[in-house]
Amino acid sequence: MAKVTPSRQQYLDFKAQFPDAIVMFRLGDFYEMFDDDAELAARELDLVLTGRPVSKGERVPMCGVPHHAVEGYIARLVEKGYHVAVIEQVGSEPVNGLTPRAVSRVITPGTVMEPGMLADTCHNYLLALAPEPDREGTSWAGVGLAYVDISTGEFAATQFNGNDTTMSVVEELARLEPREVLLPSSWAKNGVTLPAGSHLTPLPDYRCELGFARQTLHDHFGVSTLDGFGLQNQPLAVCAAGAILAYLQETQRSALAQLTGVRCYSTASFMMLDTATRRNLELVETIRDRSKRGSLLDVLDRTITPMGGRLLRTWIGQPLLSRDRLEARFDAVEALFEAGTTRAAVRDDLRKVSDLERLTNRLLAGRAGPRDLLALAASLETVPDLREAISRAAVLAPVADMLDPCADVVALVQAAIDDDTPATLNTSGVIRRGYAPDLDDVITASRSAKDWVANLETTERERTGIKSLKVGYNKVFGYYIEVSRANTERVPDDYIRKQTLVSSERYITPDLKEYESLILNAEERLLEIEERLFRDVCDRVLDHAESLLRTARALAHLDVFASLADVAAREDYVRPTLSDDDMLDIHDGRHPVVERMLHGQRFVPNDTHFDERERLHIITGPNMAGKSTIIRQVALIVLMAQIGSFVPASEATIGLADRIFTRIGAQDEIHAGQSTFMVEMVELALILSHATRRSLIILDEVGRGTSTYDGMAIARAVVEFLHNNPRLGSRTLFATHYHELTELAEILPGVENYNVVVAEDGENVVFLHRLMPGGADRSYGIHVARLAGIPKSVIKRAADILLELEASGGDFSVEKRETPDGPVQLSFFQADPDPVIEALRQLQIDEMSPLDAITILYELKRMIE
Ligand code: ADP
Ligand code: MG
């Protein structure tokens, strides 16, 4: 093969370092990509593919993007999950004919720092898993999990052991939704299912080994033991944390100063939510189009700062189990709920606060620009006002104490950075005049030199008497004096001829050269001094990094408290009473999302009550009555209470749930090739094996995925199991169209029937959305059919078949179906049963409150009229 050019060899050397990344190679004003990278980038970015000769007779594919637009192209590639390595030219002078180059950064989905590539209110997590195979090597005996958001400095690790390892990992993945997941390559090959939007990056196995990982952490944090982080006896967590850190060191090429510690956490301190439940309850996005609009987060999120937005999102994914911690949150929310003016003042002040958390981290990473410092100072300037605003609320004192106005930082930035500073250090004007005398001297000198040159034309015309003399500038020769050919005789002795044109001559003078070099050097010196001063300001600001980050955290909390208070006030929520038992008592509960979607229509509130005796509700009612809504609303109310939010009810006492499970049947989608029924059973199995008496279980139309009798049999068996198993007895809401299940209430003492009633208004069915004790009128479907105008004879026949089915206990034999004459025909002559009598027959008076009785009486009266 022919010998390649030196710059080609240089490229190949870099590419060998980053075989899995797209290498962008700076060539003059462009970043070029070659070979397979070029073809891929041309395809993904819609660029023109060209070629470049690399040796005698050989060309390789090439495509490029202009340097000023590179960020946008990198963002698009990273968004698609690619890694990009950027190779810059360093220095301006070629060495041995070759421009020196160096890797400036490697950008991967999980290591993005650039503000333009980050969503404000979402975390951008990089996560690593360090699995330990079990003895057979077929499954995981334990897994270490670590995650980091380098834009905020959050770094945490945990580990799972035992039977539930896989499930816990899946749940943490669902909670964190990492953008990038690191996994040892021997495991990556086994195929791991990641949440949508996550990208897998395989790592060499040794990177997850304990010795290597521990050393990496020791070196970075400058410690000799990890006990201070709580990581003793957590070897797998150490492996994962070390793997992440090593990966960051390789991609970031900076000191990673924002990572000041790693937090060891345990998932036992918060409510685990399985993937299905997160999805079904539409916590942060809807099932239908995966948008935030229409989710619980959407209703609760009235945060103002990006930090607050991220914190609220975290809280929703991580309900708490500790009553003390929750009461502390409620106290804070309540203080702002009750003091409307304070809340308004706090929210107004927060509008002036930028993303202090990410700003400080950019500063720590050495990536902050001059405008970042201004934003940081502006944010801090509001801190005294905020402290003042909340000073009267004693419960907010811990927050107020964490808020540090960092007056030194504000004063320094205001003194040092110009209000109209350019965005980057490539242009002068960053440092404010009067801040540094040496800088001002250079500026003054350069300004007087410029003045001198500006006046030169006038002074030289006077001195020489040549009226047409001109002073000009060009890139090659610099400043010159131009004299037309006719006047060249009259030029003074000190003029030095520099260039001859057709009709004129150009000259320089020693003075002109001197001022010129002053002007040109000044520009360079200016940039140099400004950069030095800027770095110095950054360093001095960073002396306060800890206070800044603590203040950022306090601001985020204040924002979330104020947001929750604001929502509570607007939407008429109440503070729930928490208890450490397995009761539940909700008065006039509402569905926080559905009630906002009704546009003018009134949402009908309903009560829910569980106690020692009443453990499981069977909820029946026709389609569209509101069954699904009520059971979800109970789950959401409990969840809201456990993140510290007021709840949509007139009164609520909530025994803290250790978990919330949901199983929502009949979603017409095929999960990864499994039948709906199979998915349903897998999820049910999970509930039955993990629920406790403290859990809350929501079952919607379970059993619908299979034929009626199978489904019903399973549904019934599930109810019996939940009711009878001593470990369970969980608070359960079971919405079902199987009326047969209502019989269970008579057999099982903890089971109660409820139904969502509807009324009839002339030709229309009116959905009252009212939950009443007792089972639903089972012939309701037929009733609705009559209202819809189905021929009388069909209705009649349907009613008879229903009667037969009931009589035979559901034995729908072929023989009976095929002989619609005989006794059946007789019934055509029987009068329709009176609907009022029928309704009376269905009443379960024992179960009714006086209020319910009155409502029903009114309804019956109306039916007669
Ligand atoms: P089901 O599960 O019984 O078929 P849904 O719970 O899906 O019924 O409710 C159907 C629709 O009825 C909802 O989309 C909502 O618009 C309305 N709805 C449900 N419950 C209420 C309520 N309590 N108040 C007002 N409207 C309601
Ligand atoms: Mg439903």
Side-chain angles (χ1 to χ4, degrees), residues 521-628:
N521 289 340
E523 205 41 47
E524 222 166 86
R525 289 229 27 226
L526 219 67
L527 288 179
E528 237 174 68
I529 299 173
E530 288 209 323
E531 163 140 18
R532 176 171 53 75
L533 291 169
F534 177 75
R535 299 275 166 239
D536 173 61
V537 172
C538 288
D539 285 347
R540 284 162 62 194
V541 171
L542 281 180
D543 291 342
H544 301 265
E546 228 171 277
S547 298
L548 291 171
L549 289 174
R550 204 174 328 113
T551 302
R553 261 196 305 280
L555 288 170
H557 278 81
L558 193 55
D559 193 8
V560 173
F561 292 143
S563 167
L564 290 176
D566 202 58
V567 177
R570 280 166 181 269
E571 306 288 335
D572 198 15
Y573 294 171
V574 295
R575 174 173 179 167
T577 307
L578 304 182
S579 63
D580 276 316
D581 55 29
D582 51 19
M583 312 293 163
L584 188 66
D585 195 26
I586 299 171
H587 291 271
D588 301 324
R590 283 128 46 207
H591 190 297
V593 180
V594 174
E595 78 167 336
R596 296 236 309 209
M597 303 279 190
L598 285 183
H599 304 298
Q601 256 173 293
R602 202 175 80 86
F603 188 92
V604 181
N606 280 301
D607 298 348
T608 305
H609 177 81
F610 287 102
D611 58 24
E612 206 52 55
R613 196 188 58 76
E614 208 174 329
R615 304 303 298 169
L616 196 149
H617 294 173
I618 306 260
I619 296 173
T620 46
N623 260 340
M624 293 301 288
K627 301 183 294 297
S628 300

Side-chain angles (χ1 to χ4, degrees), residues 27-318:
L27 268 177
D29 284 342
F30 278 80
Y31 288 95
E32 302 289 2
M33 289 153 279
F34 301 101
D35 310 312
D36 293 347
D37 286 356
E39 283 172 5
L40 194 151
R43 210 167 44 239
E44 295 285 10
L45 301 174
D46 242 337
L47 299 170
V48 181
L49 194 62
T50 58
R52 181 177 171 90
V54 291
S55 67
K56 265 214 194 79
E58 198 198 348
R59 287 174 74 82
V60 297
M62 175 178 94
C63 74
V65 298
H67 74 97
H68 54 81
V70 70
E71 294 300 333
Y73 287 108
I74 294 177
R76 279 164 63 191
L77 288 173
V78 171
E79 182 61 33
K80 293 176 187 224
Y82 295 108
H83 299 192
V84 179
V86 181
I87 315 293
E88 289 291 351
Q89 298 175 182
V90 290
S92 45
E93 296 303 309
V95 177
N96 299 331
L98 187 64
T99 309
R101 290 187 170 82
V103 187
S104 75
R105 56 199 170 131
V106 181
I107 302 135
T108 74
T111 60
V112 168
M113 279 285 274
E114 287 68 15
M117 296 190 205
L118 290 167
D120 273 354
T121 58
C122 292
H123 277 289
N124 200 72
Y125 287 126
L126 170 70
L127 185 145
L129 295 177
E132 177 182 50
D134 64 3
R135 251 191 236 122
E136 290 86 53
T138 49
S139 166
W140 296 348
V143 172
L145 182 153
Y147 63 89
V148 68
D149 181 343
I150 58 163
S151 68
T152 64
E154 182 180 4
F155 187 13
T158 188
Q159 77 174 44
F160 306 105
N161 295 97
N163 289 339
D164 290 339
T165 297
T166 307
M167 195 181 73
S168 306
V169 170
V170 170
E171 285 169 4
E172 277 297 85
L173 285 172
R175 175 175 76 89
L176 297 162
E177 297 190 305
R179 290 282 288 128
E180 185 176 357
V181 176
L182 308 176
L183 199 63
S185 41
S186 57
W187 278 95
K189 283 194 216 88
N190 292 3
V192 184
T193 331
L194 297 181
S198 296
H199 299 283
L200 178 71
T201 302
L203 290 182
D205 283 14
Y206 77 89
R207 299 273 290 272
C208 292
E209 276 164 14
L210 187 57
F212 177 83
R214 188 180 278 146
Q215 197 56 50
T216 309
L217 293 165
H218 282 184
D219 292 349
H220 177 78
F221 294 122
V223 294
S224 57
T225 162
L226 298 172
D227 293 3
F229 301 121
L231 284 170
Q232 63 273 38
N233 312 322
Q234 304 263 349
L236 293 172
V238 171
C239 293
I244 277 208
L245 193 56
Y247 182 74
L248 285 177
Q249 286 167 342
E250 182 181 314
T251 53
Q252 292 302 294
R253 319 235 144 204
S254 73
L256 293 170
Q258 73 267 45
L259 301 183
T260 51
V262 51
R263 179 172 57 92
C264 178
Y265 74 104
S266 157
T267 51
S269 64
F270 52 79
M271 186 200 288
M272 291 298 276
L273 291 167
D274 56 273
T275 321
T277 299
R278 254 171 229 286
R279 218 175 92 88
N280 290 332
L281 294 180
E282 307 196 295
L283 297 185
V284 296
E285 62 183 26
T286 59
I287 296 176
R288 197 162 27 85
D289 54 6
R290 304 199 50 144
S291 72
K292 179 181 167 193
R293 240 191 88 66
S295 67
L296 178 66
L297 175 63
D298 187 35
V299 172
L300 295 185
D301 190 1
R302 294 187 52 77
T303 57
I304 288 166
T305 67
M307 306 171 277
R310 291 193 296 270
L311 184 65
L312 180 62
R313 187 182 274 268
T314 304
W315 281 14
I316 287 181
Q318 237 179 19

